[in-house]
């Protein structure tokens, strides 16, 4: 039920306003949209078992799955499996972070950047790679100014992205700088305390939005050593499909996607996996 740090429904259950999902022109709460997805699935007869799977054996069909706390009991079995365990944004666990998560702190500029609380307000991005540069540049469309906190004295981003970032008049890069505390009025973030990594000087930056761009961790520990993963732990699927290296096992959503990481792309990926899984099962049963 509570896997990868999220309740059933995944990352969207920790999000407030979802502004960029088709069909909801006024936006919708993350928990509400996941409830609607669930209701729609139930309407068509889906049997939903809300438990955590702690162990799987994909060495032979039928595949075996053990529920958490029942590892010594007989496993559930399945002829096919779709891995859709998602990913979680890496966090810094700063003082005040939990208080202001989704109340000024986010891990997705594309998802949340257009939210009213960030419009025409000073914003900050943490990170020094291409993702951080892309997020910062995206946020210049909405924020009054964007600060980029880089813990070193240079960017890890590619030369092209670094040049774009450094030449943008709405961006200020704060070198050798890390956040140490998130502060606000109890409801919304309004500043962060910073520390210079070379001098240890403490400062405070007035901002209304803080965006983490320090990477994601896919929830693939469950299948590690059985399903092929890339160097970052994401499930590898065959090009333009959701097929994994194991016949009958498919993967969809953020667990295989390190590039887009949007609700709409995960939904599309899930549709692909469902179609391919159904087709695969039909062919097997015909045999």
């Amino acid at each position: 039920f509570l896997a990868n740090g999220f309740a059933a429904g995944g990352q969207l259950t920790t999000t407030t306003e979802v502004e960029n999902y088709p069909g909801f022109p006024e936006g919708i709460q993350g928990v509400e949209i996941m409830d609607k997805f669930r209701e729609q699935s139930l309407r068509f007869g889906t049997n939903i078992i809300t438990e955590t799977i702690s162990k799987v054996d994909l060495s032979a069909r039928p595949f075996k799955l053990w529920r958490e706390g029942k590892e010594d009991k007989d496993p559930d079995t399945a002829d096919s499996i779709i891995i859709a365990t998602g990913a979680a944004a890496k966090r810094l666990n700063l003082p005040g972070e939990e208080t202001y998560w989704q109340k000024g702190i986010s891990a997705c500029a594309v998802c949340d950047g257009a939210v009213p609380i960030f419009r025409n307000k000073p914003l900050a991005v943490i990170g020094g790679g291409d993702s951080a540069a892309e997020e910062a540049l995206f946020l210049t469309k909405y924020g009054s100014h964007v600060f980029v906190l880089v813990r070193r004295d240079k960017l890890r981003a590619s030369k092209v992205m670094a040049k774009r970032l450094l030449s943008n008049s709405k961006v200020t890069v704060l070198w050798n700088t890390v956040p140490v505390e998130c502060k606000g009025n109890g409801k919304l973030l309004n500043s962060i305390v910073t520390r210079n990594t070379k001098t240890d000087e403490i400062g405070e930056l007035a901002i209304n939005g803080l965006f983490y761009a320090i990477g994601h961790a896919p929830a693939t520990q469950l299948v590690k050593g059985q399903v092929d993963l890339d160097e970052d732990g994401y499930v590898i699927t065959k090009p333009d499909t959701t097929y994994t290296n194991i016949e009958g096992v498919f993967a969809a959503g953020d667990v295989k996607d390190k590039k887009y990481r949007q609700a709409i792309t995960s939904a599309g990926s899930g549709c692909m996996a469902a179609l391919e899984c159904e087709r695969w099962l039909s062919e097997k049963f015909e045999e």
Side-chain angles (χ1 to χ4, degrees):
F1 174 71
L2 191 64
N4 201 35
F6 299 116
Q11 290 187 83
L12 280 180
T13 62
T14 69
T15 301
T16 50
E17 288 290 327
V18 178
E19 301 275 8
N20 63 349
Y21 198 90
F24 300 95
E26 302 302 320
I28 185 170
Q29 293 286 312
V31 172
E32 184 182 358
I33 194 172
M34 293 313 299
D35 285 343
K36 287 182 179 293
F37 289 166
R38 181 186 176 94
E39 289 167 13
Q40 187 171 5
S41 186
L42 288 169
R43 179 183 162 217
F44 289 96
T46 306
N47 179 26
I48 299 176
I49 301 170
T50 309
E51 290 193 39
T52 299
I53 297 299
S54 60
K55 177 184 173 184
V56 298
D57 181 356
L58 306 178
S59 61
R61 289 196 307 273
F63 304 122
K64 299 180 179 68
L65 306 91
W66 284 267
R67 305 185 192 194
E68 191 172 61
K70 299 179 182 178
E71 291 83 359
D72 59 341
K73 306 293 184 183
D74 290 338
D76 291 283
T77 60
D79 291 312
S80 63
I81 291 174
I82 297 174
I83 303 168
T85 47
K90 293 179 181 176
R91 293 166 65 162
L92 296 174
N93 299 312
L94 302 172
E97 179 182 296
E98 198 62 40
T99 301
Y100 298 107
W101 189 257
Q102 293 301 329
K103 297 175 183 176
I105 305 177
S106 168
C108 182
V110 175
C111 312
D112 300 329
V115 172
I117 62 171
F118 299 135
R119 287 183 179 270
N120 301 312
K121 300 290 178 59
L123 310 172
V125 173
I126 300 172
D130 278 344
S131 293
E134 289 174 8
E135 299 240 318
L137 290 169
F138 178 84
L139 289 170
T140 60
K141 301 176 185 178
Y142 304 102
S144 60
H145 197 81
V146 180
F147 298 92
V148 180
L149 280 62
V150 182
R151 67 178 302 112
R152 302 190 300 169
D153 57 4
K154 61 181 179 180
L155 294 166
R156 289 182 292 103
S158 63
K159 287 185 178 180
V160 172
M161 288 304 300
K163 184 177 180 180
R164 287 181 192 168
L165 187 71
L166 296 171
S167 63
N168 193 300
S169 61
K170 291 185 70 174
V171 174
T172 298
V173 176
L174 301 177
W175 306 105
N176 304 307
T177 303
V178 294
V180 293
E181 185 182 357
C182 305
K183 300 173 72 174
N185 60 9
K187 295 181 178 180
L188 292 173
L189 178 80
N190 57 35
S191 72
I192 54 171
V193 178
T194 63
R195 178 178 64 83
N196 186 290
T197 57
K198 286 194 171 181
T199 66
D200 279 335
E201 181 181 352
I202 299 297
E204 189 163 343
L205 185 65
I207 56 168
N208 294 88
L210 179 64
F211 294 82
Y212 288 178
I214 54 176
H216 285 69
T220 51
Q221 193 61 37
L222 186 67
V223 296
K224 188 175 182 179
Q226 301 187 76
V227 174
D228 286 348
L229 309 177
D230 69 9
E231 66 277 6
D232 297 315
Y234 289 84
V235 175
I236 297 172
T237 52
K238 296 178 181 179
D240 300 319
T241 76
T242 62
Y243 284 83
T244 69
N245 62 299
I246 299 177
E247 190 177 357
V249 178
F250 306 83
D254 284 11
V255 76
K256 65 177 284 291
D257 173 25
K258 64 172 71 174
K259 184 176 181 180
Y260 299 105
R261 296 195 297 263
Q262 300 297 301
I264 184 62
T265 52
S266 290
S269 176
C271 176
M272 291 168 60
L275 291 171
E276 289 178 333
C277 180
E278 183 179 35
R279 188 177 300 123
W280 182 85
L281 284 168
S282 296
E283 291 171 355
K284 288 297 170 184
F285 281 126
E286 284 177 4
E287 292 175 1

